[in-house]
Amino acid sequence: MADTADQKKAEKAEKKAERKGDQRKADQRKTDRRRRKVRLLPPPAWWPLPAAAVLGLAAGGAYGVLKAPEYAATSYVVAVPNETTEPATALGFAQAYARIATSSSTLAYAQPRAGISAGRLRTQVRAETSPESPMIAITGTSKSAAEAADIANAVADALSLSSNQAAKNTGVQLLLFNQAVAPSEPASPSAAISGAVGLCAGGLLGGLWLLARPAGRTRRPEEQLLAGPVVEEYASLPAQGDHTETKEKESVR
């Protein structure tokens, strides 16, 4: 009988040890799962800034590569006063002629030589002048270098012709100072410059988004790492109900 009692005690001890071993393995698996959850930290709060900068860089580079290059050529005309006209008058007329360089009447004169329609010619020519100089710069733009030069020269000739018809009354005539030549390099920005502009624009938008977003407090990764061991230690402890249930089982046995 004594041997049977000892044998039963030994079996109970083995079962209890097995249960403890199973509980330890379960606790270890829970701890491992919690550690994996802690390691999968959310992205930092400033992630939109580099993301927007990279997107801007890609968009700007693609625009610079895909867009056809544009050429610009400039022709110069100068307002010259006659013997009875003061130089200041010529400066004032240069400002006035710069304004009518892109008018319908001037473009109608230039359209046959430019070889394009007046509507298209209006979008591909511009006139600029300085308040300190009686010189007018007429710039033509096109996807073709030769066409850009033809546009600038055609508008400059048309402006000189129309203004010189009234030179006797105004005392000022326009003379061609320098003809436009076909440029060798495009005036449009290269892919590298477009990419740099896109990078700056994307970074600016990302920074504005960070400033404008709601000011909700997010938990920092350092706090999550510090809280991880505490959570694991607390989870590894058996609950109060588990202690009571274990004591009840042992008392029944």
Side-chain angles (χ1 to χ4, degrees):
M1 295 293 294
D3 295 339
T4 304
D6 294 339
Q7 186 176 2
K8 288 182 179 181
K9 289 182 181 180
E11 290 176 357
K12 288 181 179 181
E14 290 177 359
K15 289 180 180 180
K16 187 175 181 180
E18 290 176 358
R19 284 196 299 270
K20 288 183 178 180
D22 294 339
Q23 184 65 30
R24 289 175 183 174
K25 291 180 180 179
D27 293 341
Q28 184 64 33
R29 286 194 294 268
K30 290 180 181 179
T31 303
D32 294 339
R33 284 196 297 269
R34 287 189 175 87
R35 285 178 177 175
R36 286 194 293 268
K37 289 181 181 179
V38 171
R39 288 171 185 170
L40 297 177
L41 299 176
W46 47 265
W47 70 265
L49 181 60
V54 172
L55 288 177
L57 175 63
Y63 175 80
V65 171
L66 298 177
K67 187 179 182 298
E70 189 176 72
Y71 295 87
T74 304
S75 180
Y76 296 92
V77 293
V78 61
V80 180
N82 57 21
E83 294 82 1
T84 61
T85 306
E86 297 181 357
T89 305
L91 184 60
F93 272 101
Q95 302 291 328
Y97 285 136
R99 294 187 182 94
I100 66 171
T102 57
S103 64
S104 299
S105 59
T106 305
L107 296 181
Y109 279 113
Q111 188 267 333
R113 179 178 175 182
I116 59 177
S117 63
R120 181 183 168 192
L121 184 61
R122 188 185 301 275
T123 62
Q124 294 182 223
V125 66
R126 65 177 183 271
E128 299 172 345
T129 187
S130 171
E132 300 177 355
S133 172
M135 186 173 292
I136 304 171
I138 300 173
T139 303
T141 59
S142 175
K143 296 179 181 179
S144 170
E147 187 179 66
D150 291 340
I151 290 173
N153 290 328
V155 175
D157 291 341
L159 182 63
S160 300
L161 180 61
S162 61
S163 62
N164 289 339
Q165 291 176 355
K168 292 181 180 181
N169 298 325
T170 60
V172 176
Q173 62 178 347
L174 289 181
L175 299 178
L176 183 63
F177 184 79
N178 187 25
Q179 279 192 335
V181 295
S184 58
E185 296 181 358
S188 57
S190 62
I193 296 177
S194 299
V197 173
L199 176 65
C200 296
L204 178 61
L205 292 177
L208 292 176
W209 187 90
L210 290 177
L211 293 175
R213 67 175 182 169
R217 184 179 181 276
T218 57
R219 199 172 192 184
R220 294 177 298 179
E222 294 82 357
E223 296 177 355
Q224 293 182 357
L225 290 175
L226 291 175
V230 178
V231 173
E232 294 171 4
E233 183 178 357
Y234 178 77
S236 62
L237 295 176
Q240 185 176 1
D242 296 342
H243 279 294
T244 305
E245 185 179 355
T246 303
K247 290 180 179 179
E248 290 178 354
K249 289 182 180 179
E250 289 180 353
S251 61
V252 170
R253 291 173 186 173

